[in-house]
Amino acid sequence: MRAFIFPGQGSQSVGMGKTLAETSPAARAVLEEVDAALGQSLARLMAEGPADELTLTENAQPAIMANAIATLRAAGIDLAGKARFVAGHSLGEYTALCAAGTFDLTTTARLLKTRGLAMQAAVPVGDGAMAALLGADLAVAQAVVDAAAQGEVCAVANDNDPSQVVISGSKAAVERALEIAKEKGAKRAILLPVSAPFHCALMQPAADAMAGALAGVAMAPPAVPLYANVTAEPVESVDTIRELLIEQVTGIVRWRESVANMAAAGVTHFVEFGGKVLGPMVKRIAPDAQVTNVVTMDDIDALVKEI
């Protein structure tokens, strides 16, 4: 049994999508549709940079989605016939829903542009921070943020795998957490080069913006169930998906639990489209699972032959 999974922010790189678009008409059509939806040449930015502009949240989010969907469509795979579930990390949840037919491509691109702008605008630059706790599990991370908050926002943002948890919040609280993490046994605690504190209560203005954006869009039930970030459980109801996408902006990404629950449900093969970020996490969560990363045309050709 397979699950198709889709990466989140941080997986962008200059050159992404370029060879796909040159080689596959289906991939090129994806990038052209996204450009038209956004009224900008995102495909050129993806192919040529500059890197600092591509890394901007408002560009990185639709770019990562476009690249993953281009990869999937270049493969020409019938998702419902080849995958039992879909899942995505943070913004990757929108990609997963696009792949499963809940949102069309144009809608997905516009939602992610709105989401990126709203998340960036929610907190003034410099007021928030995020940090990765390495060699720490969820229980340790929760103890760290509880001790570090001291009346400010400090929360677990991403429970990525058994040895990597990301925290988020006000800058002072996250900086306190760096020292506390070492005292509580984390191997390393490092600030992340991000422009905003994602997946914590400081993102409430962005959650409100997404509530408005999602209220008016057409949605269809996904072709296969989505394992949702905030519940780590499968969901198919359109109304529930909408609510969870809003909650996701401020809520924890329960990736470790999602993968573990998919494995417990019988998934033995995880296929990551458009990146190589989630695969290593999956192997740390479900060591016996097969993981395939699909990024290049050679990867696509190998996958098509395999499945």
Side-chain angles (χ1 to χ4, degrees):
M1 187 186 295
R2 296 182 198 88
F4 287 178
I5 58 176
F6 301 89
Q9 198 158 339
S11 59
Q12 73 279 353
S13 62
V14 173
M16 65 193 298
K18 185 175 186 294
T19 303
L20 282 176
E22 292 171 347
T23 309
S24 166
R28 185 163 59 252
V30 168
L31 300 184
E32 289 173 350
E33 183 174 341
V34 170
D35 278 358
L38 300 182
Q40 71 177 104
S41 186
L42 187 64
R44 178 180 293 177
L45 179 60
M46 292 163 63
E48 302 175 5
D52 58 347
E53 189 175 344
L54 177 61
T55 302
L56 291 174
T57 301
E58 65 177 277
N59 293 325
Q61 293 201 18
I64 292 164
M65 179 279 297
N67 183 60
I69 295 296
T71 306
L72 176 64
R73 293 193 181 172
I77 292 172
D78 171 29
L79 182 145
K82 300 297 183 182
R84 180 66 181 86
F85 303 110
V86 293
H89 192 284
S90 191
L91 81 90
E93 195 155 79
Y94 285 81
T95 314
L97 289 167
C98 180
T102 294
F103 298 123
D104 63 37
L105 179 59
T106 290
T107 298
T108 310
R110 290 174 177 167
L111 284 171
L112 285 175
K113 187 73 170 180
T114 298
R115 185 177 183 269
L117 286 167
M119 292 174 84
Q120 185 60 66
V123 179
V125 174
D127 285 6
M130 298 182 76
L133 308 186
L134 307 179
D137 61 15
L138 179 60
V140 169
Q142 190 62 57
V144 169
V145 297
D146 288 346
Q150 297 178 24
E152 296 182 291
V153 173
C154 194
V156 173
N158 306 333
D159 180 16
N160 285 334
D161 66 43
S163 63
Q164 183 192 118
V165 182
V166 175
I167 65 172
S168 182
S170 66
K171 185 177 181 182
V174 171
E175 288 175 342
R176 286 193 293 270
L178 296 177
E179 294 304 316
I180 294 170
K182 296 171 187 174
E183 297 169 5
K184 293 191 177 293
K187 290 182 180 178
R188 293 182 65 197
I190 53 174
L191 283 174
L192 297 176
V194 296
S195 55
F198 305 132
H199 298 292
C200 74
L202 296 175
M203 287 285 111
Q204 188 58 48
D208 295 341
M210 291 313 298
L214 287 161
V217 302
M219 297 175 65
V224 299
L226 168 83
Y227 263 79
N229 282 183
V230 297
T231 63
E233 297 292 342
V235 59
E236 297 179 83
S237 160
V238 166
D239 289 340
T240 303
I241 289 170
R242 183 184 292 108
E243 292 171 2
L244 293 177
L245 287 174
I246 297 165
E247 186 178 345
Q248 184 225 62
V249 179
T250 57
I252 180 176
V253 175
R254 295 169 64 181
W255 187 251
R256 175 186 56 82
E257 292 176 82
S258 295
V259 172
N261 289 347
M262 282 187 276
V267 173
T268 57
H269 186 188
F270 292 83
V271 184
E272 179 181 0
F273 286 90
K276 296 183 178 181
V277 176
L278 301 179
M281 295 181 192
V282 170
K283 291 299 287 184
R284 289 190 287 269
I285 300 163
D288 294 333
Q290 178 183 352
V291 175
T292 302
N293 298 96
V294 185
V295 177
T296 67
M297 288 304 302
D298 286 345
D299 296 336
I300 290 169
D301 292 341
L303 179 68
V304 171
K305 290 176 183 177
E306 178 185 349
I307 68 173

